[in-house]
Amino acid sequence: MPDLLGSSGATGASSDLGLARLLAQGSVLAFAIAFAGGVLTSLTPCVYPLIPITVSVFGARKAAGRRQAVALSALYVLGIAAMYSALGVGAALTGKAFGSATQSPWVLGAVALVFAAMAASMFGAFELQLPGAWQARLSQVGGAGYAGAFAMGLVAGVIAAPCTGPVLAAALTYVATRGSALYGFGIMFTYALGVGLLFFVLGVSSISLPKSGAWMDAVKSAFGVALLAAAGIFLKDAFPALKPLFLATRGAALAAAAAAGLGVLLGALSGSFHAPPAERLTKALGVALVVLGVVYAAGAGNARRAAAEARAPFPWEHDEPAALARARAEGRPVIIDFWADWCAACQELDHLAWADPRVREEAKRFVTLKVDGSTDDPAFEAAYKKYAVVGMPTVVLIDGKGRELPDRVTAAIGAEQMLSKLRGVDQACGRAAGPLACVARW
C-alpha cells in the first residue's frame, strides 16, 4: 500500500512502484489490491487467537439462525470498516501537514525507523500481541444483539488485531499523501472489508480454522519485506546526495528487478530466521537483495522522470496574481494546479497527464499556473484558502470570462480525461446548470 508505492518528496518518490500507480489512479484494481491486502493481513498469526473469541460472541453458535448470523457478522465487519474508514478520512484531512513534515530528513528517518521495527516484528524478532487478560476482556465488549456486534467491531478494528498495525500505518501514510477524504474513506473501507472477510466467513459457518504453518510465515515475510522496502524508500529521499547513484536507464531497472527475483529465490519470502545459521544467512541475503532491488527501481524511475521533465519542461507560471491578471487582460482560460513534491498523486498527474504531448498542445491556449505547497509559503496558504482547496492534487479550471468550472480534478487522471476537460472549458459553464454553476474568479 504506501507506495510501496518523482521528486524529492518521500511518499511522492515511492509512487514509482506499480502498486502506487494503480492507487494514485483510483482504479478498480487499486481497490481490489487494497481488499486483498486486508485479507492477507487477517491471516497473520497473532490475529488467530482473537478469532474464536469474536466468533463466539456473534457467530452461528449464538445466533438464532443463519440469517441472524449473517446480519451479526456483517455488522461486526462494518464496525471494523467504520473505524478504519474514520482513520482514513483523518489521515487524508491532515495530509498537508504530514506531507510538509516529510521534507525534514529527521522525520523521514524516524518514519523509516518505525517501518524497519515493524518489519522486524514480521520476521519474528518480537511479537505484537494482546495480553491474555485483554483478549478475555474483549469478549465482554458490546453486549448482545446487533448494536453489540457493531460496537465490538469498532473496538476490534484498532485494538483486537495488533498485527494489522504495520500494514495499517503504511496504508494511512499513503492516504495522507493523497489529501482526499473520499479517497481515504474508500481505500480504508475496502481494506477493512478484506480484514473482516475471515471473521465474516467464520461467523456464518462452521468452517474450522486452517492450521498454521509455513504459509503463514510466508505472509509475514512478505509484509516484512514490503515494510523494509518502504523504509528504504523513505531513507533514500532523506539523503538527496544519493540521487546520482540512481541511473535513468531501463537497464538499471531491469538489474534491480533481477536482484529482487534472485532474493526471492534465496528465500526472502520462504526462509526462516529461526532456522539453522546457514538458512538464516541465506534468507537475510535474499531479503537484502529484494529490498535493494525495489528501492533502486524506485530511484531509477525518479531519475527517468526527472530527465524527461528536463527535456520538455511544462511552461508553468508560479505567481497567482500575475497569472490571473494576464489571463484577464488577454481573455484566456486558466489552469491552476495545486501541487507539492511530497504528494504521490501529484507526481502521478504530472506523469499521466501533463507529460502527454496532446495535453501540452491543448494547454497552450491557457495561462498555466502551478501553486507549489512543498514549503510553508504564505502565498500558497492564501491561494489554498481562496480556492477552498481541501487536498492535493487539485486542478482548478477557469474559463476565458473568469468563471471557475465546478468540476475540479482531484485525482491522478489520465491524458484522455484531462484532454476532454480542457477542451470543454469555454463551453462547460453555459452548458451545465447555467452561469450560476460557475464561480466568478475575476
Side-chain angles (χ1 to χ4, degrees):
M1 292 186 64
D3 327 342
L4 303 181
L5 317 218
S7 62
S8 62
T11 47
S14 54
S15 63
D16 287 297
L17 301 184
L19 172 59
R21 288 181 177 175
L22 294 170
L23 289 171
Q25 295 176 48
S27 67
V28 173
L29 186 56
F31 287 91
I33 292 174
F35 180 82
V39 173
L40 289 175
T41 301
S42 72
L43 298 177
T44 49
C46 78
V47 174
Y48 259 43
L50 302 171
I51 294 176
I53 297 172
T54 54
V55 170
S56 68
V57 174
F58 59 84
R61 289 177 289 175
K62 294 281 186 179
R66 181 57 57 87
R67 182 176 297 179
Q68 186 180 4
V70 170
L72 290 170
S73 301
L75 283 169
Y76 176 79
V77 174
L78 285 176
I80 297 176
M83 181 59 71
Y84 281 6
S85 299
L87 293 175
V89 171
L93 293 178
T94 58
K96 180 176 176 290
F98 175 85
S100 299
T102 61
Q103 297 303 297
S104 167
W106 294 101
V107 174
L108 295 179
V111 172
L113 184 62
V114 171
F115 275 26
M118 294 299 97
S121 76
M122 288 295 180
F123 289 128
F126 57 90
E127 285 293 334
L128 291 173
Q129 177 72 354
L130 285 178
W134 288 26
Q135 296 182 24
R137 183 67 178 172
L138 181 63
S139 65
Q140 303 173 17
V141 173
Y146 298 112
F150 183 81
M152 189 171 183
L154 289 173
V155 175
V158 174
I159 300 175
C163 280
T164 67
V167 181
L168 181 63
L172 291 175
T173 298
Y174 177 74
V175 167
T177 70
R178 291 300 306 272
S180 168
L182 181 61
Y183 185 87
F185 176 90
I187 282 292
M188 295 311 300
F189 187 87
T190 305
Y191 171 75
L193 291 182
V195 172
L197 179 63
L198 178 61
F199 292 91
F200 179 81
V201 170
L202 293 173
V204 300
S205 66
S206 57
I207 298 176
S208 60
L209 296 175
K211 294 181 179 180
S212 61
W215 68 273
M216 294 183 72
D217 292 332
V219 170
K220 292 188 69 176
S221 289
F223 280 130
V225 169
L227 288 165
L228 275 182
I233 290 172
F234 273 91
L235 285 178
K236 170 181 69 65
D237 294 297
F239 300 99
L242 297 178
K243 285 186 177 181
L245 298 178
F246 299 98
L247 304 178
T249 63
R250 294 192 178 276
L254 290 175
L262 178 60
V264 172
L265 293 177
L266 288 175
L269 305 181
S270 57
S272 172
F273 283 118
H274 300 291
E279 183 176 339
R280 292 202 301 268
L281 182 62
T282 302
K283 180 178 176 68
L285 179 60
V287 169
L289 286 173
V290 173
V291 171
L292 289 174
V294 170
V295 173
Y296 199 87
N302 288 346
R304 287 198 303 274
R305 289 191 186 186
E309 178 64 23
R311 289 193 298 269
F314 200 93
W316 294 110
E317 297 186 26
H318 299 280
D319 186 328
E320 191 254 356
L324 292 188
R326 186 161 74 88
R328 182 166 55 248
E330 299 174 4
R332 295 172 61 185
V334 184
I335 299 170
I336 306 177
D337 182 16
F338 285 85
W339 182 94
D341 61 11
W342 48 259
C343 168
C346 299
Q347 305 290 342
E348 283 301 317
L349 186 61
D350 286 348
H351 175 70
L352 296 170
W354 301 132
D356 188 276
R358 297 167 298 167
V359 174
R360 287 171 175 266
E361 184 64 29
E362 181 65 25
K364 288 181 178 179
R365 67 186 181 91
F366 290 78
V367 173
T368 55
L369 171 67
K370 186 179 286 290
V371 184
D372 191 348
S374 301
T375 59
D376 294 328
D377 184 354
F380 172 81
E381 294 295 338
Y384 203 83
K385 293 179 180 178
K386 174 181 176 180
Y387 294 91
V389 175
V390 296
M392 289 182 279
T394 292
V395 178
V396 176
L397 300 175
I398 300 175
D399 72 2
K401 296 181 179 180
R403 301 171 301 183
E404 179 193 338
L405 275 66
D407 185 21
R408 293 182 173 185
V409 176
T410 57
I413 64 175
E416 291 293 344
Q417 289 177 273
M418 183 63 77
L419 199 59
S420 176
K421 289 181 179 294
L422 296 185
R423 286 172 175 169
V425 165
D426 288 328
Q427 297 80 28
C429 283
R431 278 203 316 261
L436 294 179
C438 297
V439 177
R441 287 300 179 185
W442 66 67

